[in-house]
Amino acid sequence: MEIKSLFQKITIKQANVFTITVIFLLTMVFVALLVDEMYKDYERALEKSSLVKSENTLDVNLIDENKKKLKSLLVRTALAIVTLSFILFAIFLGLNNLFNKFLQRDTEAFLNFFKKAVDHEEAINPDTIFFQDFKEMVGYANEMVSKINEQKKSLKELNLGLEERVKKKTAALLEINKNLEEQKSFSQDLLIAQKEFLRYTVHETNTPLSVILTSIELYLMKHPKDRDLSKIEAAAKNIFSIYDDLSYLVKKDHIEYKKTAINLNNFLSSRIDFFREVAEFSRITFNYINPNEELHIYFNETKLQRVVDNTLTNAIKYTLPGENVAVKLQKAGAFIEFLVSSRSKIIEDTRKVFEAYYREEKKKEGFGLGLRLVKSICDEEGVEVRVSSDNEMTAFSYKFKAMGD
């Protein structure tokens, strides 16, 4: 594993040195083996000459001369082999250096090309490359860098376009935000003005309404009631009911509505009496079923009046002419149920009648805020509200927690 990692980090120059060293060592080994073999042949030749001497008793001078000739031949042959080996090694070394230079030049050309490709679009000239393999790589490298540069240009243009679009969008959003702030400020000023107007209207309406109702009562004490006066009284009471709604809306966030013990029987009877003239003018009759026992709840009187008055006026408005509005109080366990029912046009969507500004009959006057006010009070005080409507009957039911349970 260590040898593999070592060769993975080796450079071309180091590889060349390593290759030359190995070849040189192999050459020396080859020369040594060859000389050793020649020396062995020399020894065998000497032994043979000695045998010949002993057998034929040749001249000693001749034998010594043969020895010198063999020894001289051995030396010359060994020198020739060594010289030839060094010549071949030098030729190989020269060719190796030449090809390595070409290889190094081609490699450096590619390295410089890729280094410059980061900032420049200069391509490699195939004519400057020596090896055919690298020449084939030149085309791929030039094409690759060309595509990369095209993508860089495209991304740069896209980035510039995005920056411009972001600037425009930011400017547009700033303008929109400025307009929204102006609209918000205008809306707040308008809302403040509206609240001030309502507060002023409520304050200024109370006195004339009280004067009108009081004058009607004083007039009736001295004169018989006629239809025109009944119309005036009904209209005044309707206005008074609207005044009470507005007064509650203006004051509900500024004052605390404290709870007291309320006799629900008496309270409901007084509100029915108040609206009886209005109902009779619309040819509607109240049929109040008063329970035998007195029923009490712990509730705020102003809030209770808003619930009762809006339910009764809503019944008067939508009940068919000539019909009765049944008003009923009954004990239901730990609760007291206040039920108002009558024959009217069927309510198509009973879930929406408590939404602000929702009115199924568009021709009817009003803003649809009364029942929304009722629902908000019931939600605050934990009063269960139910609405049912079919071709026979439309009913509104409220369950108040009975006092003492």
Side-chain angles (χ1 to χ4, degrees):
M1 195 68 181
E2 292 180 359
I3 296 174
K4 183 179 178 181
S5 63
L6 178 63
F7 277 102
Q8 285 178 342
K9 297 178 180 179
I10 196 169
T11 63
I12 294 175
K13 185 176 180 180
Q14 291 172 340
N16 286 334
V17 173
F18 177 77
T19 304
I20 293 169
T21 303
V22 171
I23 293 173
F24 179 76
L25 292 174
L26 291 175
T27 303
M28 292 299 100
V29 171
F30 171 74
V31 170
L33 291 174
L34 188 59
V35 171
D36 181 65
E37 186 64 27
M38 288 178 63
Y39 185 75
K40 288 178 180 178
D41 289 341
Y42 167 72
E43 286 181 341
R44 283 192 292 268
L46 286 177
E47 289 175 0
K48 188 176 180 181
S49 65
S50 297
L51 289 174
V52 171
K53 174 185 176 185
S54 61
E55 291 177 0
N56 301 318
T57 62
L58 296 173
D59 188 1
V60 176
N61 293 329
L62 181 62
I63 292 171
D64 291 337
E65 187 179 349
N66 287 336
K67 286 182 179 180
K68 290 179 180 180
K69 287 180 179 180
L70 288 172
K71 197 171 189 178
S72 176
L73 179 62
L74 174 64
V75 172
R76 288 199 304 270
T77 306
L79 288 173
I81 291 172
V82 171
T83 303
L84 180 61
S85 297
F86 274 107
I87 292 172
L88 291 175
F89 179 74
I91 294 171
F92 169 78
L93 187 61
L95 291 173
N96 183 66
N97 286 334
L98 180 63
F99 285 118
N100 279 335
K101 285 183 179 180
F102 285 126
L103 178 62
Q104 189 173 2
R105 189 188 69 175
D106 290 352
T107 306
E108 288 179 353
F110 274 95
L111 288 174
N112 293 330
F113 167 72
F114 285 114
K115 286 179 181 178
K116 293 179 180 178
V118 177
D119 301 314
H120 301 85
E121 299 182 12
E122 184 178 349
I124 301 177
N125 185 2
D127 296 333
T128 61
I129 303 300
F130 179 78
F131 291 99
Q132 184 62 33
D133 295 339
F134 285 135
K135 285 186 177 183
E136 292 179 0
M137 292 172 60
V138 167
Y140 296 114
N142 287 337
E143 184 179 357
M144 177 188 69
V145 172
S146 177
K147 287 184 177 180
I148 291 174
N149 287 325
E150 287 179 3
Q151 291 178 354
K152 284 172 64 178
K153 286 181 180 179
S154 177
L155 287 174
K156 189 175 181 180
E157 291 175 359
L158 180 62
N159 187 48
L160 291 174
L162 287 174
E163 287 181 359
E164 189 63 26
R165 289 172 62 186
V166 168
K167 287 180 181 178
K168 290 181 179 179
K169 198 70 176 179
T170 303
L173 288 174
L174 289 174
E175 185 66 25
I176 292 172
N177 186 56
K178 180 181 178 182
N179 293 335
L180 287 175
E181 289 293 333
E182 292 177 355
Q183 292 177 8
K184 180 181 177 182
S185 177
F186 175 76
S187 299
Q188 289 176 342
D189 293 342
L190 186 63
L191 187 61
I192 293 172
Q194 182 186 32
K195 287 182 178 179
E196 290 297 323
F197 172 75
L198 286 175
R199 189 177 291 109
Y200 175 80
T201 302
V202 167
H203 177 73
E204 295 298 324
T205 303
N206 183 38
T207 302
L209 276 176
S210 300
V211 170
I212 291 171
L213 291 175
T214 302
S215 298
I216 291 173
E217 291 176 1
L218 292 173
Y219 182 84
L220 290 176
M221 291 173 63
K222 299 178 181 179
H223 303 86
K225 182 183 293 188
D226 56 31
R227 183 168 178 78
D228 292 332
L229 188 61
S230 297
K231 289 181 181 180
I232 295 172
E233 185 178 8
K237 288 183 176 180
N238 276 327
I239 294 173
F240 209 88
S241 178
I242 295 171
Y243 161 80
D244 286 338
D245 282 345
L246 291 175
S247 178
Y248 176 77
L249 288 172
V250 169
K251 297 177 182 178
K252 71 183 183 71
D253 295 327
H254 304 284
I255 65 172
E256 181 184 358
Y257 289 95
K258 295 182 179 180
K259 296 180 181 181
T260 58
I262 300 175
N263 185 318
L264 198 54
N265 311 60
N266 297 336
F267 184 87
L268 193 55
S269 295
S270 66
R271 300 318 298 165
I272 290 173
D273 288 340
F274 182 82
F275 288 105
R276 196 178 300 278
E277 191 74 28
V278 180
E280 289 176 356
F281 181 74
S282 300
R283 292 185 293 160
I284 303 297
T285 304
F286 281 119
N287 182 16
Y288 174 44
I289 303 173
N290 198 340
N292 296 326
E293 58 179 327
E294 291 188 350
L295 302 174
H296 293 80
I297 61 173
Y298 191 65
F299 214 82
N300 177 262
E301 186 172 340
T302 301
K303 289 186 176 182
L304 179 61
Q305 184 172 328
R306 301 296 11 99
V307 173
V308 173
D309 286 9
N310 276 291
T311 304
L312 294 179
T313 55
N314 197 64
I316 294 170
K317 187 182 297 184
Y318 290 101
T319 299
L320 299 176
E323 296 290 339
N324 293 332
V325 175
V327 181
K328 185 178 181 181
L329 273 181
Q330 60 183 8
K331 187 76 179 294
F335 297 91
I336 299 172
E337 184 179 19
F338 164 48
L339 182 66
V340 177
S341 58
S342 64
R343 286 189 68 239
S344 65
K345 187 176 179 181
I346 188 172
I347 299 175
E348 299 295 338
D349 193 344
T350 56
R351 294 172 300 178
K352 288 186 176 182
V353 292
F354 291 107
E355 293 181 4
Y357 307 107
Y358 177 78
R359 289 179 297 129
E360 289 203 347
E361 292 189 40
K362 305 299 181 183
K363 294 182 179 179
K364 293 287 185 179
E365 295 180 355
F367 296 102
L369 292 174
L371 290 180
R372 174 59 186 169
L373 179 61
V374 169
K375 186 65 166 62
S376 66
I377 293 173
C378 290
D379 290 342
E380 289 172 7
E381 302 298 335
V383 179
E384 181 184 343
V385 185
R386 289 184 180 179
V387 181
S388 61
S389 183
D390 54 32
N391 292 325
E392 297 297 325
M393 193 70 64
T394 295
F396 284 75
S397 170
Y398 305 89
K399 280 189 176 181
F400 298 87
K401 186 173 177 57
M403 189 174 174
D405 292 327

